[in-house]
Amino acid sequence: MNRPESYLDFFNQTRAATENLCKPLATEDYVVQPIVDVSPPKWHLGHTTWFFEEFLLVPYLPHYERYDERYAYVFNSYYESMGKRVVRTDRGNLSRPSVADVYKYRAHVNEHMQKLLASELATDAIPVIEIGIHHEKQHQELLMTDIKYILGNNPLLPKYGEVDHEVFVENHEQEWIEMPDGIYHIGHDTKEFCYDNELPRHRIFLEPYALSNKLVTNADWMEFMQAGGYTEVLLWHTEGWDWVSKNNIAAPNYWHNDENGEWFNYTLNGYEKINLEAAVTHISYYEAFAFAQWKGLRLPTEFEWEAAQDKLDYGKRWEWTESAYLPYPNYQKPDGALGEYNGKFMVNQKVLRGYSIATPDHHARPTYRNFFHPYLRWQFTGLRLAKSI
Amino acid sequence: MNRPESYLDFFNQTRAATENLCKPLATEDYVVQPIVDVSPPKWHLGHTTWFFEEFLLVPYLPHYERYDERYAYVFNSYYESMGKRVVRTDRGNLSRPSVADVYKYRAHVNEHMQKLLASELATDAIPVIEIGIHHEKQHQELLMTDIKYILGNNPLLPKYGEVDHEVFVENHEQEWIEMPDGIYHIGHDTKEFCYDNELPRHRIFLEPYALSNKLVTNADWMEFMQAGGYTEVLLWHTEGWDWVSKNNIAAPNYWHNDENGEWFNYTLNGYEKINLEAAVTHISYYEAFAFAQWKGLRLPTEFEWEAAQDKLDYGKRWEWTESAYLPYPNYQKPDGALGEYNGKFMVNQKVLRGYSIATPDHHARPTYRNFFHPYLRWQFTGLRLAKSI
Amino acid sequence: MNRPESYLDFFNQTRAATENLCKPLATEDYVVQPIVDVSPPKWHLGHTTWFFEEFLLVPYLPHYERYDERYAYVFNSYYESMGKRVVRTDRGNLSRPSVADVYKYRAHVNEHMQKLLASELATDAIPVIEIGIHHEKQHQELLMTDIKYILGNNPLLPKYGEVDHEVFVENHEQEWIEMPDGIYHIGHDTKEFCYDNELPRHRIFLEPYALSNKLVTNADWMEFMQAGGYTEVLLWHTEGWDWVSKNNIAAPNYWHNDENGEWFNYTLNGYEKINLEAAVTHISYYEAFAFAQWKGLRLPTEFEWEAAQDKLDYGKRWEWTESAYLPYPNYQKPDGALGEYNGKFMVNQKVLRGYSIATPDHHARPTYRNFFHPYLRWQFTGLRLAKSI
Amino acid sequence: MNRPESYLDFFNQTRAATENLCKPLATEDYVVQPIVDVSPPKWHLGHTTWFFEEFLLVPYLPHYERYDERYAYVFNSYYESMGKRVVRTDRGNLSRPSVADVYKYRAHVNEHMQKLLASELATDAIPVIEIGIHHEKQHQELLMTDIKYILGNNPLLPKYGEVDHEVFVENHEQEWIEMPDGIYHIGHDTKEFCYDNELPRHRIFLEPYALSNKLVTNADWMEFMQAGGYTEVLLWHTEGWDWVSKNNIAAPNYWHNDENGEWFNYTLNGYEKINLEAAVTHISYYEAFAFAQWKGLRLPTEFEWEAAQDKLDYGKRWEWTESAYLPYPNYQKPDGALGEYNGKFMVNQKVLRGYSIATPDHHARPTYRNFFHPYLRWQFTGLRLAKSI
């Protein structure tokens, strides 16, 4: 285990990166919460700061007093054991603290974190330091996708800026990577940081299968749409069909059919014509599943994905898997509030693998398990097909 | 009928007054919509501007082009006949146009309005000029109460500034003003501006009655609460009781019981101890009715109020009446979009009389009919008791 | 005031009439509650019985014991002061007590009521006897309309039986009955029974007006539909428009457009082609209002209706009025549970006048005030136009 | 593959068994649907009959005409590809067809099924015959649990009759059955009937684990309740906690705390004191999970259960597993409407293993996969603990 000081740069770079993501925003963009799953950027800035204050400065830095006692109430997210929180749907109703005040709060906590990390006071809290930094990185991804949602659902469709691989084209031909049956090892095994849900490393058995070496493209999706994919009930789960019907879903998120019948989509780079070569993105699990049914294929499980990951070129789109988000055999939930981090979400969600362009550097791993409800699609989600052989 | 030019000062003063109300706000305060009935201040600024642009500049000022075609979509409120609008619950999701852009939009429209009003081009549109100015005044009242809601429901409870009569004390003793039976004239009859719903002036008959010369006070209300008023079902309308139960209502809005059992309330001047001498405010019609039942008295009708208004000292609190908001005999709805102003709300609402501290100068009249749903209480509402004699 | 015995026949005839209405029903028809406003016939049979047991037998007949203590819980409706009740939406979930058991309960209570009414024990309770009988008559009307709803929304569309004036044709030409301005007396004034909401008799002033001598017909309504009445937003109240949009309303209740575009409707007599000469029925207040707007006319107030009622031929359809359901000047709510009968509904409802074919004999009066929410249309509602002159 | 005739007895016995279950019911009990998941018994009787008519008589028996064309509309359940159906929440609103008519429909279809099965006409449809019979057996289980819900949520708590093992006591001591790591075969492999979701048989790897030889008892559960299990947020999934909070869950279904604080429960045998020795039942997955967390143990996966099933004594309670309901590797959905049977539910549900007292004879198998949403508890659900070793 390292000494606290060795995390100082990592901490500072991470904190700066978060603020960097917000540079193109107007003050007003920091405030709104258009759907319950999207948090105001201001809230992300405050919440990640509160995490360091509450789990490190308060318990480990002598004489530290909270910057503002009321912020715990405003910026707690879902740590039920840490006291009353602003209910999630209310985040977008809070005009105060102002953006400037939140940045002051960040600066204050950063300053005290320098002291703490330069000392030996938090030596026993290394896992908390690590989780705090990775927690902020996770919020960087949410920040990016929440910003996209906020701007991309505004009638003025304001541009955010140039983001690499917002439109992501794989130039190679589609081929199948075949994998033999056998016992595979799943889960994290290096000395590096990982989340509890990637542990313990364990064995599983896979029947023979093949994975596509390429993500499904917008051209593929257009074909699915033209073939009536969104109106053919037998392709869908019952709950997927209800979701499609109730929400009038007929295309990926951010797609718009203009008055001439041409398809456009909102990207962080602006409002553009659909690039047919690019990987389809902003689809739900329900849509991914229906597409695979239509092709007579299926989604991979997360285990099939992990077993083959060294043969894949990935990292631009989160890939929906067929796997439900469940604990690994002999999974141990950490004690206390940090135990709320992962385990309590292990029902009714699907696993995604492979990172996206919004995932910050040094955050993801081949064993990383992302998870969302099957109807969500504001993340940079995509789809890689699989089949049994 | 006057010439357009004669409205120039009135227009400019009104426009300036709106912006004046927003002076104490942080940028973030302009953006949020904590409940469906409260609009973001930014939206009020834009919407009142859109009204002048759409109903005056576009039809009457030659070669005028809309500042931004998309603003019609963002800032229309409920004029169904004027095209698609941002649905009301979505107003708080819009970070753009920014506050600065909305002020630019205001300046642009103001500038062109100077030209229009200085000309004879809008001579036929005097009623629209008048309604546009009064429309903005109406929004000034909403702006003030919406700001109070936004700040007063924020966990930091920020102060707005000093507002006269936010705490309103009537020093005189309570007495009954008696009124004989007879035919009374109701409705507007001067040459001055009024809304369509105040017309036509007509006759009604009143049985003998008496009105209190004083509003119900916080001390009275405290007594009602201590007597179990909020838990005694027989005092309430069925729908009032459902509202109380579902929303756990046990005190007027903005009241809080601190840890020592003492009652405080949020006012625009800050968070303060309840002043027992002051008139109770921020109560719903349901509460006003239950209180009157408990006293063995009743609310006045709007006709009783208007017939006696010259004997009353009023104007600080909107007074709930027992009257439903209905058309007067032979009421004529104006043609076209302006016909949507009042008539289409004449169901399921109650009339309030008497103005409040948020009502701007030169806006209200003795015949003015305000109206809200019976459960609403974010306006400066109060209660004057009546009885049959 | 009469002696209890003088009510014996009235009581017995009323009780028998209720059961008579149910003769055409299958056991299963007694059980269901397809919408919250429609109660299972079984429940009406039990509830009216519970009323006599609870308000007469228990307090006035010595040694009387409740037939089944648990029935109070099952059959109370909305008398909050009389203990916990089965919430209204749950009535259709109760398979027990069985229909046969409910009839036994009726017989048991009837038998004891004979004793009570033959004695002098309830001499002080004459008003309760009267209200109990009229209460049951009110439920007869609901029973008939609830049965129609249950059968008319069943995919098999079963016929109930021959009911007079289910299709009601007025043969005379439409003419206007003109009424002069002046003071009129409103409210009940004979010695006969009336409800508290018809009192006290009082004076009102009416401006000159005219009422149609004929109800609006299906032919008129068809014209309204063909003119796009259901899609022209400016004809509707905001809340009416929301109701139309949300529920896809495009015709009166029970109307169906068959595959050839011909209009049919379900009646208690069976499924039949629309009779164009007949009075339109099963319309909401919102629809009645929009129709009148489209004609450039209006609905009468309940006072206009009552003042002219001796010149009208009415009694087959409840006629929507423009009046909100409000207390008359100096209205006195009865004490105790019976005070819950009327007063607590005096908000957000509209008054209907004139009875319907489902109103039992000896129940309605010229001063009778029926009331429903503006969106309801399962009653035999219709529309008579008015205008100011 | 057998000949159709060989299914005649199996068909007849199954059909008779369904009707047998309904013998204790009053006509009214057949009609109601107290929650969306519970169907009216009448509907089960009709729906299982419709299945034979639609999938066998119509396609295979020459000149067969549907008993009533409208029944397809009434009794279809969720076969979206077979035409419009009565939406699920409406089933309890249908008083017709009457119970007697439904029994006539059954008799009619049974009679024609005798003809069909005695012939060779349906030789190609053997899989459909089998699935039709097993479909009816599945509905027998639902019928029993729906009846329990209907009676057990009626304020009169009527008894159904004596049902074996409604209170189920295992007399042996609790011990752990240990299982070594290794490859196990999962899924159906005999020639007998099974559902598509039990196929194909395939290999999985299990890390070492142990299963309890005994179900969790009411005494265990009482201890959990007394230790505050229902109020300790850290034991629960987020969605479980929301479910507990929103529905005020504080004990298994059908449990009631009487005025003396003693615990009773409704059983089909009547309302009785809780038997502490008996296996706990009518719990949701969320509760089962929280209980296991509290014990520091966990639920088994469905694979762990199946691998050890020959060492278990089971069959009285469905046992919640930790497994999500997902397709087996290389799962093939049948073509056409029967393909809707299982596959479309494979999201957001949990697997249960082991049968219950409501499962009919010859229906379940060691490889049988039952599945429900995690919040449901009207089935005879229970809990067997597991641990990793």
Side-chain angles (χ1 to χ4, degrees), chain A residues 90-150:
Chain A
D90 272 1
R91 289 179 193 164
N93 297 338
L94 300 184
S95 60
R96 312 285 181 96
S98 69
V99 174
D101 284 341
V102 173
Y103 276 111
K104 275 187 218 150
Y105 177 41
R106 286 183 71 86
H108 175 90
V109 166
N110 283 349
E111 191 189 313
H112 287 80
M113 281 296 292
Q114 309 300 312
K115 282 189 227 163
L116 185 68
L117 293 178
S119 78
E120 298 300 307
L121 290 161
T123 303
D124 292 349
I126 297 283
V128 185
I129 297 170
E130 278 187 319
I131 217 171
I133 297 172
H134 283 283
H135 171 256
E136 180 138 355
K137 285 184 173 290
Q138 249 180 321
H139 277 276
Q140 287 169 11
E141 175 139 18
L142 291 170
L143 195 48
M144 182 61 99
T145 50
D146 289 359
I147 289 169
K148 182 166 181 179
Y149 196 95
I150 288 165

Side-chain angles (χ1 to χ4, degrees), chain D residues 96-158:
Chain D
R96 312 285 181 96
S98 69
V99 173
D101 285 342
V102 173
Y103 276 111
K104 274 186 218 150
Y105 176 43
R106 286 184 73 86
H108 175 90
V109 166
N110 282 350
E111 189 188 315
H112 287 80
M113 281 296 292
Q114 308 301 312
K115 282 189 228 163
L116 184 69
L117 293 179
S119 78
E120 298 300 306
L121 291 160
T123 304
D124 293 349
I126 296 283
V128 185
I129 297 170
E130 279 185 318
I131 217 171
I133 296 171
H134 283 283
H135 171 256
E136 180 138 353
K137 284 183 173 292
Q138 249 179 320
H139 277 276
Q140 287 168 10
E141 175 139 19
L142 292 170
L143 195 49
M144 183 62 99
T145 50
D146 289 0
I147 289 169
K148 182 166 181 180
Y149 196 93
I150 288 166
L151 301 179
N153 284 281
N154 187 293
L156 309 190
L157 294 171

Side-chain angles (χ1 to χ4, degrees), chain B residues 49-171:
Chain B
T49 303
W50 167 85
F51 191 103
F52 289 111
E53 184 177 59
E54 198 64 32
F55 293 114
L56 287 167
L57 296 182
V58 169
Y60 296 100
L61 189 64
H63 312 301
Y64 180 79
E65 293 191 15
R66 287 188 186 83
Y67 179 75
D68 188 322
E69 287 290 337
R70 301 168 304 178
Y71 282 20
Y73 181 70
V74 174
F75 290 125
N76 186 357
S77 57
Y78 55 79
Y79 300 87
E80 297 267 0
S81 48
M82 300 304 286
K84 209 173 170 187
R85 70 193 198 285
V86 171
V87 290
R88 213 167 161 209
T89 47
D90 272 1
R91 288 179 193 164
N93 297 338
L94 300 184
S95 60
R96 313 284 182 96
S98 70
V99 173
D101 284 342
V102 172
Y103 276 111
K104 275 186 218 148
Y105 176 42
R106 286 184 72 88
H108 175 90
V109 165
N110 282 350
E111 190 189 314
H112 287 81
M113 281 296 293
Q114 310 300 312
K115 283 189 227 161
L116 184 70
L117 293 178
S119 79
E120 298 299 307
L121 291 160
T123 304
D124 293 348
I126 296 284
V128 185
I129 296 170
E130 278 186 320
I131 216 169
I133 296 172
H134 284 282
H135 171 255
E136 180 139 353
K137 284 184 174 291
Q138 251 179 319
H139 277 276
Q140 287 168 11
E141 175 140 18
L142 291 171
L143 195 48
M144 184 61 100
T145 50
D146 290 0
I147 289 169
K148 181 166 181 179
Y149 196 93
I150 289 165
L151 301 180
N153 285 280
N154 187 293
L156 309 189
L157 293 171
K159 173 176 176 162
Y160 170 81
E162 299 302 325
V163 173
D164 281 355
H165 300 304
E166 237 283 8
V167 176
F168 172 56
V169 177
E170 293 180 291
N171 286 312

Side-chain angles (χ1 to χ4, degrees), chain C residues 272-344:
Chain C
E272 323 182 321
K273 228 177 121 171
I274 297 282
N275 180 333
L276 290 175
E277 305 304 308
V280 69
T281 192
H282 297 300
I283 52 167
S284 68
Y285 163 76
Y286 291 131
E287 289 166 285
F289 175 88
F291 179 90
Q293 287 280 303
W294 174 71
K295 291 296 271 189
L297 297 164
R298 61 175 176 82
L299 309 191
T301 66
E302 63 167 321
F303 311 112
E304 289 172 338
W305 191 94
E306 187 171 325
Q309 61 83 19
D310 57 350
K311 297 176 181 62
L312 302 173
D313 184 13
Y314 62 92
K316 305 296 184 290
R317 295 293 180 267
W318 284 107
E319 304 177 18
W320 285 110
T321 75
E322 185 53 54
S323 298
Y325 180 46
L326 294 174
Y328 283 170
N330 210 13
Y331 164 70
Q332 303 297 328
K333 195 169 77 166
D335 288 334
L338 292 180
E340 295 193 51
Y341 207 92
N342 273 305
K344 72 180 183 178

Side-chain angles (χ1 to χ4, degrees), chain A residues 218 221 225 230 249-256 263 280-283 287 377:
Chain A
N218 287 331
W221 205 267
M225 284 164 63
Y230 280 101
I249 305 292
N253 207 358
Y254 298 117
W255 284 37
H256 300 273
W263 284 97
V280 70
T281 192
H282 296 301
I283 51 166
E287 289 166 286
R377 51 187 206 160

Side-chain angles (χ1 to χ4, degrees), chain D residues 320-369:
Chain D
W320 284 110
T321 74
E322 185 52 56
S323 297
Y325 181 46
L326 295 174
Y328 284 169
N330 210 15
Y331 165 70
Q332 302 298 328
K333 196 169 78 166
D335 289 335
L338 292 181
E340 295 194 49
Y341 207 93
N342 273 305
K344 72 179 183 178
F345 299 114
M346 290 179 175
V347 70
N348 291 336
Q349 309 214 32
K350 299 298 273 188
V351 174
L352 302 100
R353 291 296 193 106
Y355 344 149
S356 87
I357 53 164
T359 313
D361 290 344
H362 309 297
H363 183 57
R365 288 163 298 283
T367 59
Y368 193 98
R369 307 172 76 199

